[in-house]
Amino acid sequence: MRRVAAAALVAAALAAGALTAVPAHAAAAAQGHSLGTAGCTATACHFDVPPGTYDVQVLLGGEDAARTSVSGETRRSLLPETATEAGERAVRSFTVDVRTPEGEPAGPVGSPGLDLVIGGSAPALAGIRVTPARHARQILLVGDSTVCDQPGAPYSGWGQQLPQYLRKGLSVANHADSGESTVSYLADERMWGTVQPLIGPGDLVLVQLAHNDKTTDEATYRANLETLVSGVRERGGRPVLVTPVVRRWFSADGTLNNDTALLVNGLGVDHPAVVRAVAAAEDVPLIDLTAKTKALVESLGVEGSKSLYLYDEKRDNTHTSAHGATVYAGLVRDALVAQRLVPHGAVRHT
């Protein structure tokens, strides 16, 4: 793909509402600081950029009514489906994290650069601009398979769906990885050893690890959480502890009041209770996702809650569908706003 466009040429392309290739000499002048619409088709775009954080502005709409969404990299939802009337144009912006590996830390490296997919029930992309983000705040995610950027359908982690709820200026750097416990995440240099140096002053670091701490004793689990909290603070970041999403495992009385659903391991370690205790002792913000997802799943009942998980597809009551991950990401968004960890105006309510 050709490198493209100085900012003025991109602005002109957006104003014209067209996907226009930009001459190579303009690309050289831009020195990689601003990219335009070369490399886009009606349904996909590729930008040759190095790892970093980028602001993306899209111009949506066309001659006909349209409904357009944007995803990117490893199946991350970046912009929710946006409706435009016939002849209408809508400008939307978001900030995206580009990294290597582009998905799970222990997963494939992925393709270099930034790859975006233009989706929705009737997609219409009229223009796009990608520029390095100068003042973005990161939300880094430390977690397991219920959080991570899942590489293949029908799986989806809530961290994979969270970016669509955030406006320009907030990026999600999802370093969650399938199969990780607090023990393995701290021990693997690809995990915490890579994440900690990336934390900057004011960045949020959301930690949800519990599902795979099946043989971790309580003292070790608590100490590991404390290590993660102190490690975030050493870098000037702000740790946020998140209790694990429930397993969809109903008791005979129609509740989730059992050890399997509520993440109590074989040693009797009540993971959500320990997370809550560490948050209180260390004065760390807490998102009680166990309580929130429990209430939601119980309210939907045995049948209604199936769509949140991969029960129909895989008989899986632990991992979420794209729908379930989106709903759970919405719970995280609401908690971040309610606790004033992010401003109300920095999120989308769809």
Side-chain angles (χ1 to χ4, degrees):
M1 300 296 180
R2 288 183 298 168
R3 290 188 180 276
V4 288
L9 289 172
V10 177
L14 282 170
L19 292 173
T20 306
V22 180
H25 64 80
Q31 296 181 343
H33 292 296
S34 183
L35 299 175
T37 55
C40 285
T41 67
T43 57
C45 298
H46 173 79
F47 299 98
D48 290 323
V49 296
T53 307
Y54 295 89
D55 291 331
V56 179
Q57 183 182 55
V58 292
L59 183 66
L60 307 177
E63 294 182 2
D64 301 320
R67 298 186 66 87
T68 311
S69 63
V70 181
S71 60
E73 298 296 88
T74 303
R75 303 177 59 242
R76 298 179 218 158
S77 295
L78 300 170
L79 186 71
E81 190 169 84
T82 301
T84 49
E85 299 297 331
E88 179 189 4
R89 296 291 189 272
V91 177
R92 297 290 185 272
S93 299
F94 55 87
T95 301
V96 61
D97 171 61
V98 178
R99 62 181 182 272
T100 302
E102 69 178 36
E104 296 177 275
V109 171
S111 58
L114 171 61
D115 289 289
L116 301 175
V117 176
I118 312 304
S121 55
L125 175 68
I128 188 167
R129 178 171 61 192
V130 176
T131 54
R134 300 300 184 190
H135 305 291
R137 184 186 186 194
Q138 291 188 105
I139 299 178
L140 297 103
L141 305 182
V142 170
D144 53 35
S145 59
T146 64
V147 184
C148 75
D149 288 348
Q150 289 280 359
Y155 293 89
S156 183
W158 62 255
Q160 200 164 21
Q161 301 297 332
L162 184 60
Q164 66 183 304
Y165 289 125
L166 305 178
R167 298 184 187 276
K168 176 184 172 183
L170 276 176
S171 73
V172 175
N174 190 352
H175 294 270
D177 193 78
S178 295
E180 303 299 334
S181 65
T182 58
V183 176
S184 64
Y185 204 94
L186 285 168
D188 193 329
E189 193 63 24
R190 297 171 298 177
M191 308 299 163
W192 187 237
T194 296
V195 174
Q196 190 184 21
L198 299 175
I199 301 169
D203 287 342
L204 294 176
V205 183
L206 277 57
V207 178
Q208 187 216 280
L209 287 167
H211 277 84
N212 300 301
D213 280 281
K214 298 173 184 177
T215 60
T216 309
D217 64 80
E218 183 169 337
T220 302
Y221 185 64
R222 180 186 295 268
N224 289 343
L225 292 175
E226 291 169 348
T227 296
L228 290 164
V229 166
S230 63
V232 174
R233 286 173 167 165
E234 285 172 11
R235 297 286 302 174
R238 188 167 190 187
V240 180
L241 292 179
V242 183
T243 59
V245 299
V246 294
R247 294 189 180 98
R248 183 190 161 277
W249 195 267
F250 282 91
S251 298
D253 63 357
T255 71
L256 301 183
N257 295 327
N258 60 78
D259 289 353
T260 299
L262 299 180
L263 283 299
V264 179
N265 74 10
L267 301 178
V269 180
D270 185 332
H271 293 104
V274 176
V275 175
R276 295 176 188 122
V278 172
E282 299 292 327
D283 192 24
V284 174
L286 173 74
I287 297 178
D288 198 340
L289 205 51
T290 304
K292 294 177 184 297
T293 55
K294 179 179 187 290
L296 177 59
V297 170
E298 287 181 343
S299 71
L300 293 173
V302 174
E303 291 301 318
S305 62
K306 287 180 179 178
S307 65
L308 296 173
Y309 292 82
L310 296 176
Y311 178 83
D312 290 330
E313 299 89 343
K314 302 286 185 179
R315 293 298 187 267
D316 186 334
N317 292 302
T318 297
H319 297 98
T320 48
S321 62
H323 166 65
T326 301
V327 172
Y328 288 177
L331 297 177
V332 173
R333 171 205 59 192
D334 293 345
L336 291 172
V337 172
Q339 297 189 49
R340 299 183 179 179
L341 296 169
V342 300
H344 186 274
V347 304
R348 291 187 177 89
H349 294 272
T350 57

